[in-house]
């Protein structure tokens, strides 16, 4: 099935940064508008996409307000993110006060043309330790936008460390190296194992056919763990039957993911969403909703979502996926792009990877209302070593060095690549699933990514 290299977009690799310096990132807390103090507004639930049990309609009154009573663990600057909908095309300006004083933020609650399109607006504000009030007051006769909730603080970035440099390996094809040999030769600790697919129905299997337990995959996972490593399991890829399409609901899809999580007691999963699974909006929403369920049922589990990109960042489908994640309140740890198979780019592949990442950062920042720093900590990339599927897009070790510098500068969550199986020179012929197609030392690319620890 998925042994086609030419069309196969590499899967994701997950990196999990170490908790070294974590700037402003205490965990975020949500406060629902329907539970706040409301003056001259009403709680409603007639437009879908809200969180909690409803939202506040400001009722087209000047001076109507929502006041949140919030708790800050310490005095200092914190981000306040309002989730709102404005179905008109005009801004709905509001005065924002903290403890009765105007914050001075001139934030826009712009119209998006639909009351079901939820957006975020973020400001920085100084809070006192303990209880504070945050009030948003309509200043025109249109009233405010519909307000869903206030989030105080940034969501905590995921952990970094060895998990952040987990290259893809696949055991059913591509003449796989013994993972413990790879560990000994390179120092790599984490692998991203490809791919879990549908067996034709909503049941997960390696490459759609090998069993979760009792086969080569389980044997290798046990060996990696016995040698002090661990694995991220990747679902999807370019080829084969995707669980997102074969499971007919988010809860069924979450159940399929859960079977794999339970089989190996996984700490991290990667959804490599490509091809028809990526292209269908209903399926994208199902994957987002299933991941929310997985997050709720597996506290602390790390999730990555991996997809293709243009040289300047996600295309409209990729941005839609991220926006759906934000709208659903999915606290995804890593939005990961695969910066190759562009079909046209400028500069080196290292430079194109950096510009794709900058576009990704902007998309995640805008969707989630993160600070720049926290947006970087929620993005990553999975490159491809050597020849890719497109002529003129060969990725060299120099390109990996460029990416390594960028990763270290911004503390991105993951630096991975497709794949360990390809991380060696071809004996004869061109590149394929089992070699890179370029002149290289064994494991030259794995040895670069293991230098990244967050
Ligand atoms: C519509 C819409 C409300 C919204 C209102 C407004 O009535 O259904 O949800 O609050 O417009 O203009 O604010």
């Amino acid at each position: 099935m998925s042994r086609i290299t030419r069309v196969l977009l590499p899967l994701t690799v997950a990196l999990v940064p170490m908790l070294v310096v974590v700037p402003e990132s205490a965990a975020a807390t949500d406060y629902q508008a329907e539970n706040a103090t409301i003056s001259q507004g009403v709680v409603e639930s007639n437009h879908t996409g809200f969180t909690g049990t409803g939202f506040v309609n400001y009722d087209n009154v000047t001076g109507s307000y929502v006041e949140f009573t919030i708790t800050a663990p310490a005095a200092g600057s914190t981000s306040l993110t309002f989730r709102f909908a404005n179905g008109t095309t005009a801004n709905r300006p509001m005065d924002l006060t903290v403890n009765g004083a105007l914050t001075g933020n001139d934030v826009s609650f712009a119209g998006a043309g639909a009351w079901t399109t939820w957006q975020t607006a973020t400001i920085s504000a100084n809070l006192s330790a303990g209880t504070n009030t945050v009030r948003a007051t309509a200043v025109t006769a249109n009233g405010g936008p519909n307000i869903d909730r206030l989030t105080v603080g940034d969501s905590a970035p995921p952990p970094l460390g060895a998990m952040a440099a987990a290259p893809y390996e696949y055991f059913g094809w591509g003449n796989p190296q013994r993972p413990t040999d790879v560990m000994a030769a390179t120092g790599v600790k984490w692998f991203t194992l490809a791919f879990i697919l549908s067996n034709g129905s909503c049941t997960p299997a390696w490459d759609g056919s090998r069993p979760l337990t009792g086969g080569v995959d389980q044997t290798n996972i046990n060996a990696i763990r016995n040698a002090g490593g661990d694995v991220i399991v990747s679902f999807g890829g370019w080829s084969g039957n995707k669980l997102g399409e074969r499971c007919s609901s988010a809860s069924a899809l979450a159940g399929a993911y859960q079977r794999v999580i339970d089989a190996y007691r996984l700490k991290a999963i990667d959804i490599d969403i490509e091809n028809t699974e990526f292209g269908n909006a209903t399926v994208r929403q199902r994957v987002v909703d299933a991941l929310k369920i997985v997050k709720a049922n597996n506290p602390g589990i790390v999730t990555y979502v991996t997809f293709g990109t243009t040289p300047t960042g996600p295309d409209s489908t990729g941005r839609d996926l991220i926006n759906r994640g934000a709208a659903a309140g999915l606290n995804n740890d890593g939005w990961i792009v695969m910066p190759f198979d562009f079909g046209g780019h400028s500069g080196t592949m290292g430079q194109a990877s950096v510009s794709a990442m900058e576009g990704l950062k902007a998309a995640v920042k805008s969707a989630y209302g993160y600070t720049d720093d926290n947006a970087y900590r929620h993005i990553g990339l999975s490159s491809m070593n050597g020849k890719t599927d497109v002529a003129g897009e060969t990725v060299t070790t120099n390109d990996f060095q460029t990416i390594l510098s960028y990763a270290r500068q911004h503390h991105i969550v993951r630096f991975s690549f497709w794949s360990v199986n390809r991380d060696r020179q071809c004996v004869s012929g061109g590149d394929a699933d089992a070699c890179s197609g370029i002149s290289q030392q064994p494991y030259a690319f794995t040895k670069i990514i293991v230098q990244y620890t967050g």
Side-chain angles (χ1 to χ4, degrees):
M1 18 140 326
S2 351
R3 45 202 80 187
I4 306 112
T5 2
R6 305 285 42 158
V7 274
L8 186 132
L9 292 189
L11 312 208
T12 55
V13 185
L15 359 172
V16 179
M18 257 179 330
L19 280 176
V20 195
V21 182
V22 183
E24 75 263 43
S25 304
T29 308
D30 287 337
Y31 296 87
Q32 293 294 334
E34 63 270 26
N35 299 331
T37 301
I38 300 162
S39 173
Q40 301 183 83
V42 287
V43 175
E44 291 178 344
S45 57
N46 57 327
H47 302 302
T48 55
F50 56 81
T51 61
T53 57
F55 55 84
V56 173
N57 170 353
Y58 275 70
D59 246 5
N60 308 111
V61 182
T62 306
S64 54
Y65 68 78
V66 175
E67 182 175 282
F68 299 88
T69 301
I70 65 172
T71 306
S77 177
T78 306
S79 64
L80 301 178
T81 301
F82 296 88
R83 187 165 189 265
F84 70 96
N86 179 349
T88 73
T89 52
N91 183 23
R92 294 268 177 107
M94 296 200 288
D95 276 347
L96 305 177
T97 61
V98 172
N99 300 325
L102 278 171
T103 60
N105 284 281
D106 186 18
V107 65
S108 167
F109 295 89
W115 293 104
T116 49
T117 300
W118 295 91
Q119 311 179 73
T120 55
T122 300
I123 65 169
S124 294
N126 274 315
L127 300 182
S128 311
T131 300
N132 296 258
T133 55
V134 176
R135 185 185 290 192
T137 306
V139 295
T140 72
N142 287 330
N146 289 344
I147 293 279
D148 179 41
R149 71 173 177 220
L150 172 68
T151 301
V152 179
D154 283 318
S155 65
L160 285 171
M163 193 198 275
Y168 285 89
E169 187 167 11
Y170 32 97
F171 296 129
W173 43 299
N175 187 23
Q177 303 94 332
R178 284 205 341 222
T180 46
D181 290 349
V182 183
M183 295 170 79
T186 67
V188 74
K189 289 271 188 260
W190 282 77
F191 293 84
T192 306
L193 303 185
F195 281 113
I196 293 286
L197 287 164
S198 145
N199 73 346
S201 64
C202 185
T203 301
W206 288 104
D207 288 330
S209 57
R210 297 192 307 282
L212 297 183
T213 53
V216 60
D217 304 278
Q218 179 167 48
T219 301
N220 280 325
I221 291 170
N222 293 346
I224 291 167
R225 287 177 167 166
N226 287 339
D230 210 338
V231 302
I232 297 154
V233 169
S234 184
F235 298 74
W238 181 266
S239 305
N241 295 323
K242 312 302 185 331
L243 285 165
E245 293 172 281
R246 298 300 170 125
C247 301
S248 57
S249 67
S251 60
L253 179 57
Y257 294 157
Q258 192 67 48
R259 285 172 74 162
V260 183
I261 293 166
D262 291 345
Y264 308 118
R265 302 177 322 281
L266 295 176
K267 300 187 186 75
I269 61 170
D270 168 45
I271 310 300
D272 187 4
I273 179 166
E274 300 192 37
N275 203 342
T276 50
E277 193 176 35
F278 183 60
N280 181 313
T282 304
V283 176
R284 288 196 297 279
Q285 187 67 46
R286 188 180 296 150
V287 168
V288 162
D289 293 341
L291 284 175
K292 265 203 88 169
I293 297 170
V294 164
K295 279 284 194 188
N297 291 341
N298 301 270
I301 195 164
V302 170
T303 57
Y304 304 113
V305 178
T306 301
F307 50 102
T309 184
T310 79
T312 53
D315 63 10
S316 57
T317 308
R319 291 196 305 275
D320 176 82
L321 179 65
I322 296 165
N323 289 339
R324 285 173 189 273
L330 171 64
N331 190 11
N332 183 40
D333 297 288
W335 298 98
I336 314 296
V337 287
M338 295 178 284
F340 54 87
D341 288 359
F342 297 131
H345 69 285
S346 52
T348 65
M349 285 299 280
Q351 290 164 339
S353 299
V354 164
S355 78
M357 289 292 284
E358 285 295 298
L360 175 63
K361 188 271 288 182
V364 170
K365 178 182 174 179
S366 139
Y368 278 87
Y370 290 151
T371 60
D372 280 312
D373 176 73
N374 205 25
Y376 280 119
R377 290 171 186 271
H378 284 87
I379 65 168
L381 84 170
S382 180
S383 186
M384 183 166 180
N385 67 307
K387 289 192 174 167
T388 64
D389 304 324
V390 176
E393 296 192 11
T394 295
V395 181
T396 66
T397 51
N398 278 344
D399 294 321
F400 266 44
Q401 293 288 359
T402 299
I403 297 167
L404 177 62
S405 301
Y406 178 87
R408 286 174 162 163
Q409 183 184 353
H410 294 296
H411 311 291
I412 66 172
V413 74
R414 176 165 164 90
F415 177 12
S416 176
F417 76 103
W418 182 266
S419 61
V420 168
N421 304 58
R422 302 178 78 254
D423 199 3
R424 55 193 158 190
Q425 195 164 319
C426 301
V427 177
S428 64
D431 65 302
D433 296 322
C435 59
S436 65
I438 62 173
S439 172
Q440 70 157 98
Q441 294 297 311
Y443 302 128
F445 291 87
T446 303
K447 286 178 178 175
I448 295 174
I449 72 162
V450 295
Q451 297 171 46
Y452 184 60
T453 56

